[in-house]
Amino acid sequence: MYKGELISITVAISWTACAMFAEVASKRVGSLPLNVVRMLLSLIMLAAVMWWFTGVPYPVGANADTWLWLSLSGLVGYVLGDFCFFNSYILIGSRYGQLLMTLAPPVAALFGWLLLGQSMTWMAILGMTITILGIATAIYRPRKESGAGTNGGEASETTPRLPLRGILFGIGAGIGQGMGLVLSAKGLMHYEALQQLAGVAYQHGGNAALVLPFASTAIRAVTGLIGFTLWTFARGEAPQLRKAFTDRRAMLFALAATITGPFIGVSLSLMATLYTSIGIAQTIMAMTPVLIIWPTYLFFHQRIHWREVVGAIVSVCGVALFFV
């Protein structure tokens, strides 16, 4: 009883841990080197899963259209989205980075409407508005409270409590993840149709749906690894990449972030939908911005303001409206 709900809570906790591990690793070695390491570790784990279920360590039965859409998803979701994501960790920390990631569902809904013809309900529009309101509540404060200006300013004037560059990286991460999700769904549609047509047989009762998400994620990770590697060398950060592989502490945190995020997080999120409704599962899993507040205070000694707590709760409530 409540198996799906318990799994969803575990996913939210796992993603909370992933965010904290990634913050430590990104501050030690930088965003690009960390993402190269993370993509490489993800591919190794995904290859092991596919080998277990299919007998081969690579995606089978994927045609050109599947590779095209999933590669685009990898470029937008991983290379753009995760680059912004981990840079936001460096500049504003994992707590605010996770909060700004609540922009991903509204962006996904918008691009799902534009690219996939999905309906845009009034409830979804309301959810977007509430999510943005929650984020604004958390990252902005009245100018009097911020101490800006000699005259204190008007109480209605607001100013960011965070570096603008960090906020922009966080917004870019939310947009990248949302768009990447839609492109991934497009690619998965081609993949599922192709698998049904070809009748590719898998182990465990021939259930292709069990391994398709992992195969799709592997295609995205291939694109992510290539993109991040080329970007690292183009920006002259190859020495930092070599240093990352020799930094045992950074590698340990990168490994922990990969296990708790792309591997356990994705696997259990798929499992949760088998035991409860997608709406309930997604709403519970979206609680990471709230769950991460206390651990960042405990381990990183980050101060907590009441606006941050209220903003995170309001933002998660906005996300929940997408699944009502």
Side-chain angles (χ1 to χ4, degrees):
M1 194 174 183
Y2 300 113
K3 191 173 183 179
E5 288 79 359
L6 291 173
I7 294 174
S8 299
I9 293 173
T10 304
V11 171
I13 294 172
S14 180
W15 283 342
T16 299
C18 172
M20 297 181 65
F21 290 138
E23 179 178 349
V24 175
S26 60
K27 287 181 177 178
R28 288 186 68 89
V29 299
S31 172
L32 283 175
L34 172 62
N35 275 299
V36 172
V37 172
R38 196 173 65 94
M39 289 294 103
L40 183 60
L41 293 174
S42 296
L43 275 174
I44 293 172
M45 295 177 188
L46 289 166
V49 171
M50 288 184 290
W51 178 80
W52 175 264
F53 284 107
T54 69
V56 291
Y58 54 84
V60 293
N63 64 0
D65 287 335
T66 302
W67 273 92
L68 172 64
W69 287 104
L70 290 175
S71 295
L72 286 174
S73 173
L75 286 173
V76 175
Y78 280 158
V79 181
L80 172 63
D82 282 1
F83 173 76
C84 291
F85 195 28
F86 288 106
N87 271 291
S88 73
Y89 279 1
I90 295 172
L91 294 170
I92 60 178
S94 56
R95 190 171 78 211
Y96 287 109
Q98 281 294 326
L99 175 63
L100 287 164
M101 279 298 292
T102 56
L103 286 171
V107 170
L110 178 61
F111 280 91
W113 174 60
L114 292 173
L115 296 180
L116 303 180
Q118 296 177 346
S119 61
M120 177 72 75
T121 65
W122 285 106
M123 190 67 74
I125 295 173
L126 178 62
M128 289 183 188
T129 305
I130 292 176
T131 298
I132 294 172
L133 177 63
I135 292 173
T137 301
I139 67 177
Y140 281 85
R141 57 184 166 187
R143 187 160 298 182
K144 280 185 177 180
E145 183 183 328
S146 69
T150 56
N151 297 325
E154 297 295 330
S156 59
E157 295 180 4
T158 57
T159 183
R161 67 176 71 213
L162 304 170
L164 179 59
R165 191 161 171 256
I167 295 174
L168 293 176
F169 271 127
I171 293 173
I175 293 174
Q177 291 294 328
M179 289 181 62
L181 181 62
V182 174
L183 293 170
S184 181
K186 184 84 171 176
L188 194 56
M189 289 178 186
H190 286 277
Y191 207 168
E192 288 178 343
L194 185 67
Q195 296 290 12
Q196 292 171 4
L197 181 65
V200 177
Y202 289 104
Q203 298 176 15
H204 299 276
N207 187 1
L210 189 63
V211 77
L212 277 176
F214 293 100
S216 301
T217 302
I219 294 174
R220 297 179 70 211
V222 167
T223 308
L225 178 60
I226 294 172
F228 279 125
T229 302
L230 292 176
W231 199 349
T232 299
F233 280 92
R235 290 187 51 159
E237 295 190 23
Q240 289 92 318
L241 179 59
R242 287 192 293 270
K243 182 181 177 181
F245 281 106
T246 59
D247 188 330
R248 292 185 179 180
R249 185 175 175 83
M251 287 295 292
L252 178 63
F253 279 103
L255 176 62
T258 304
I259 292 173
T260 54
F263 194 65
I264 293 179
V266 170
S267 303
L268 292 184
S269 67
L270 298 173
M271 188 183 301
T273 60
L274 299 176
Y275 296 101
T276 188
S277 70
I278 294 177
I280 292 174
Q282 291 292 333
T283 300
I284 295 174
M285 288 186 287
M287 291 176 59
T288 301
V290 176
L291 295 180
I292 201 171
I293 293 174
W294 176 249
T296 53
Y297 169 78
L298 189 64
F299 293 103
F300 298 155
H301 308 294
Q302 296 177 0
R303 294 179 60 185
I304 301 173
H305 193 278
W306 68 267
R307 287 179 179 274
E308 300 166 19
V309 179
V310 172
I313 294 173
V314 170
S315 183
V316 170
C317 289
V319 172
L321 291 179
F322 284 88
F323 309 104
V324 172

